[in-house]
Amino acid sequence: MHKYILRRLLMMVPVLIGVTFVIFTLTYITEGDPARMLAGIQAPEEQVEQLREQLGLNDPFAVQYFRYITNVARLDFGTSFATGRPVFDEIISRFPTTMHLTAMSIIIAVLIGVPLGILSATKQYSVFDGAATFVGLMGISIPNFWLSLMLILLFGVQLGWLPTSGFDTPSQWILPSFSIGISSAAIIMRMTRSSMLEVLRQDYIRTAKAKGQKGSVIIFRHALKNALIPVITIVGLEIGVLLGGAILTENIFSIAGIGRFMVDAIARRDYPVIQGGVLLLALTFSLVNLIVDVIYAYVDPRIRSQYK
């Protein structure tokens, strides 16, 4: 197991290098002049050119990328054009807020999606199954930003039950967490239902029923444990989706996380912040996938036996 984890960690290195190359290339070819944005519209061309030279923007692409990748290897993501502070410090100070929002959202998604999927599978073709399937389809179809605005209008403006901005108190966690967790809950529900239906048709389930096992024992001890592998996979993938969804949600709810910081950086052409934020999110997603693969081994004895 330790060798497998080490091998996966080493495989993450070329992935992250590829991410840095793609995001650096995109920011390099994007129209706009960061030096002009920093100096101001009315600044003379001589001052802009001096600032461009100071930032190293006149260097060739290969020189700029090599300098960037060398600095990243030392955990130096550069300095923000707008704030003048190290990008690493700016991102790390906001990272816990984004991860908190993502964690709350995935908890809500699992707590809603898995039970609904189990009930839908065990009561196939019933009214409940049809209602759950319809709700799941709606959850997947509704855009995240639209749902966020509707939740604000209903629970924040009309009813006045919950605050519509910030992320400091438990009451402020509810609306943004639900807004990005609902779509993931729908996907998890559909995957749980599909996986459970496949397992419930297996011969060993019929054998357990023939032996007189209780329905709850059959569902949770025999069926659910064997249906968890695809569910764990989709939960791991949804964490990456939620990290991306947090970018819009943080702006709508005025949450001081990485997403809002990156959107402001895009508007200011603050390239070091954009590059550092994307790289950190890619690293987080890669680590989540590694954790999911390790969880496989503890859930499924067949996979665990391959590492011994």
Side-chain angles (χ1 to χ4, degrees):
M1 178 65 73
H2 295 89
K3 292 182 180 180
Y4 172 76
I5 295 175
L6 180 60
R7 186 165 62 249
R8 284 296 305 271
L9 289 173
L10 292 176
M11 290 173 59
M12 287 169 53
V13 175
V15 172
L16 295 178
I17 292 176
V19 170
T20 61
F21 180 79
V22 171
I23 188 60
F24 190 88
T25 303
L26 291 176
T27 53
Y28 182 82
I29 64 177
T30 300
E31 294 184 1
D33 188 355
R36 173 60 68 182
M37 296 285 293
L38 290 175
I41 303 298
Q42 305 297 329
E45 187 61 32
E46 294 79 7
Q47 181 181 350
V48 176
E49 184 60 31
Q50 182 180 1
L51 185 58
R52 192 180 294 116
E53 186 68 29
Q54 179 182 348
L55 296 174
L57 299 176
N58 290 331
D59 295 335
F61 171 82
V63 174
Q64 292 188 42
Y65 178 70
F66 180 77
R67 182 170 58 236
Y68 173 71
I69 198 68
T70 303
N71 292 333
V72 167
R74 300 196 299 264
L75 295 181
D76 179 9
F77 294 93
T79 303
S80 171
F81 294 161
T83 64
R85 294 185 58 196
V87 172
F88 186 80
D89 295 342
E90 293 275 17
I91 293 177
I92 290 299
S93 64
R94 294 167 172 82
F95 185 68
T97 301
T98 299
M99 288 305 300
H100 185 190
L101 174 59
T102 303
M104 292 291 297
S105 303
I106 199 65
I107 290 173
I108 290 173
V110 171
L111 291 179
I112 295 176
V114 173
L116 284 181
I118 295 173
L119 289 174
S120 182
T122 54
K123 300 181 182 298
Q124 189 181 14
Y125 303 131
S126 65
V127 175
F128 179 85
D129 184 25
T133 303
F134 175 77
V135 172
L137 180 61
M138 292 293 293
I140 296 174
S141 304
I142 295 176
N144 171 260
F145 68 89
W146 184 86
L147 180 60
S148 299
L149 295 175
M150 294 301 102
L151 291 176
I152 289 175
L153 289 175
L154 178 60
F155 295 102
V157 178
Q158 297 294 332
L159 300 177
W161 292 352
L162 297 169
T164 60
S165 63
F167 203 70
D168 299 321
T169 62
S171 61
Q172 294 174 320
W173 302 347
I174 298 175
L175 289 184
S177 299
F178 264 95
S179 67
I180 62 176
I182 290 299
S183 61
S184 295
I187 295 173
I188 292 173
M189 187 276 291
R190 291 167 65 89
M191 178 58 69
T192 304
R193 178 183 182 275
S194 175
S195 183
M196 282 289 293
L197 285 175
E198 182 178 351
V199 171
L200 289 173
R201 298 190 181 102
Q202 298 298 316
D203 292 338
Y204 63 87
I205 298 295
R206 287 193 289 268
T207 301
K209 291 179 179 179
K211 292 171 62 178
Q213 290 280 2
K214 293 182 179 179
S216 59
V217 174
I218 294 174
I219 292 173
F220 293 103
R221 180 176 296 180
H222 299 290
L224 183 59
K225 288 181 65 176
N226 289 282
L228 275 181
I229 291 295
V231 176
I232 293 173
T233 301
I234 203 66
V235 169
L237 293 175
E238 284 303 303
I239 291 177
V241 174
L242 293 177
L243 284 171
I247 294 178
L248 286 175
T249 305
E250 287 176 1
N251 280 271
I252 294 173
F253 289 95
S254 300
I255 300 173
I258 293 180
R260 186 181 179 189
F261 188 51
M262 287 180 62
V263 170
D264 294 340
I266 293 172
R268 297 191 299 256
R269 299 294 193 275
D270 198 345
Y271 293 157
V273 172
I274 300 171
Q275 295 162 355
V278 172
L279 182 60
L280 182 61
L281 293 178
L283 175 61
T284 303
F285 190 42
S286 299
L287 290 175
V288 167
N289 278 302
L290 174 60
I291 294 172
V292 168
D293 288 345
V294 173
I295 292 176
Y296 285 164
Y298 290 98
V299 173
D300 193 337
R302 295 169 298 180
I303 300 177
R304 185 165 62 248
S305 64
Q306 298 177 9
Y307 301 133
K308 293 182 179 180

